[in-house]
Amino acid sequence: MQDTGLRTAASADGTRIAYEAIGSGPPLIVVVGAFNDRHTGSALAAAMSDEFSVYIYDRRGRGDSGDTQPYDVDREVDDLRAVLLAAGGHAAVLGFSSGAALALNAAVALPIEKLIMFGPPIVTDGSRPQVPENLAARVKALVGQGQRGEAVELFQLEAIGMPPSVVEKMRHAPFRPGLEAMAHTLFYDLSVTAEASDIDRLLPLISMPTLVLAGADGPGWIRAAAAEIARRLPDGRHVSIEALGQDLDADRIAPLVSDFLINASGTS
């Protein structure tokens, strides 16, 4: 297994985006979700490194990447473009959770050869209310007031849909400081998801082979979104993974992704 170590790529606005490339073979870029940095994709990268060069990166505002303001979804697409250029100018892209939403936004603008989305957090049916339109602004305001814990809990309650009792129990969890440290990026996650939710506009523009995954034990509204998105794509495939929730489980996901990347024909 080859490991390039930590490198950086310059986004269009000059922001330095930190990434690692692990393995050898065709490039695959992993885009992580809320409360995640590049290390979230490390196990998946290791599991796929014998067949692919897997690029894991810190989205802006996380880990070792910069965070040029003001935030805009197009800037996050440019960040992914910078990593894609570092990978040789074309690659497959795997997006996890809100990273799947970012990948969906990027798929209409970037030379993505094959697209994989796991657990896209998009409401496509009536199984739960739509995310409030003002949630991103409310989360951003709380962070601006120094109320990072409150911002985390608001996101957990209204974006993820966690029961209040669970949110309260997590308040004193050992990982809570890490969640608060990333609270400012929740505005970014909500912004990319809001844009990706316009699937009537986006899906007709996407032609590359696409695999949409969801955990069979994950939230029902996410399972419904994965099935609906795959159904409406011209070259979409959907897999529900038994005994898995909304977790980037390398052992369960890597074989499915590998099979898709090797056997799905066509490019964008």
Side-chain angles (χ1 to χ4, degrees):
M1 182 174 71
Q2 300 174 358
D3 188 339
T4 64
L6 184 63
R7 297 185 178 183
T8 61
S11 192
D13 65 358
T15 302
R16 307 303 296 183
I17 302 300
Y19 72 92
E20 299 176 59
I22 301 169
S24 58
L28 169 67
I29 301 171
V30 177
V31 189
V32 296
F35 300 120
N36 298 160
D37 60 17
R38 70 181 187 277
H39 300 295
T40 304
S42 294
L44 182 64
M48 302 190 66
S49 61
D50 288 342
E51 297 175 294
F52 303 94
S53 295
V54 186
Y55 288 72
I56 50 178
Y57 77 99
D58 287 327
R59 289 172 54 191
R60 66 172 53 210
R62 310 163 197 239
D64 293 297
S65 288
D67 195 19
T68 306
Q69 296 297 313
Y71 177 81
D72 188 272
V73 173
D74 288 342
R75 290 190 172 194
E76 277 231 72
V77 172
D78 285 339
D79 299 346
L80 179 52
R81 187 194 309 272
V83 179
L84 190 148
L85 290 172
H90 56 86
V93 170
L94 184 158
F96 166 53
S97 195
S98 67
L102 177 54
L104 185 59
N105 285 315
V108 304
L110 304 184
I112 295 173
E113 294 190 328
K114 295 174 184 177
L115 177 65
I116 306 101
M117 291 180 281
F118 174 66
I122 296 169
V123 180
T124 59
D125 66 0
S127 61
R128 63 155 283 177
Q130 295 285 340
V131 174
E133 291 184 3
N134 66 349
L135 180 58
R138 290 157 58 206
V139 166
K140 184 177 183 180
L142 286 171
V143 173
Q145 295 162 10
Q147 297 178 286
R148 286 178 167 265
E150 289 80 355
V152 166
E153 293 185 6
L154 181 61
F155 181 87
Q156 291 171 330
L157 289 167
E158 297 194 16
I160 301 176
M162 288 183 178
S165 60
V166 174
V167 171
E168 183 175 356
K169 288 180 181 179
M170 293 177 66
R171 190 170 293 161
H172 305 292
F175 53 80
R176 174 60 178 258
L179 302 185
E180 293 188 15
M182 287 194 181
H184 60 288
T185 63
L186 298 176
F187 174 76
Y188 308 170
D189 293 304
L190 290 164
S191 297
V192 298
T193 301
E195 289 218 9
S197 295
D198 188 3
I199 57 174
D200 290 339
R201 175 180 64 86
L202 291 174
L203 296 186
L205 302 175
I206 295 174
S207 59
M208 73 282 290
T210 301
L211 174 65
V212 193
L213 303 170
D217 292 345
W221 59 281
I222 290 180
R223 299 198 311 268
E228 177 67 6
I229 290 169
R231 184 186 69 81
R232 293 179 57 176
L233 287 171
D235 195 359
R237 308 117 199 259
H238 169 245
V239 176
S240 179
I241 307 173
E242 293 298 322
L244 182 66
Q246 184 78 345
D247 305 299
L248 196 62
D249 185 322
D251 292 337
R252 306 293 306 282
I253 293 172
L256 295 170
V257 174
S258 177
D259 179 72
F260 169 72
L261 293 179
I262 291 170
N263 294 312
S265 61
T267 60
S268 60

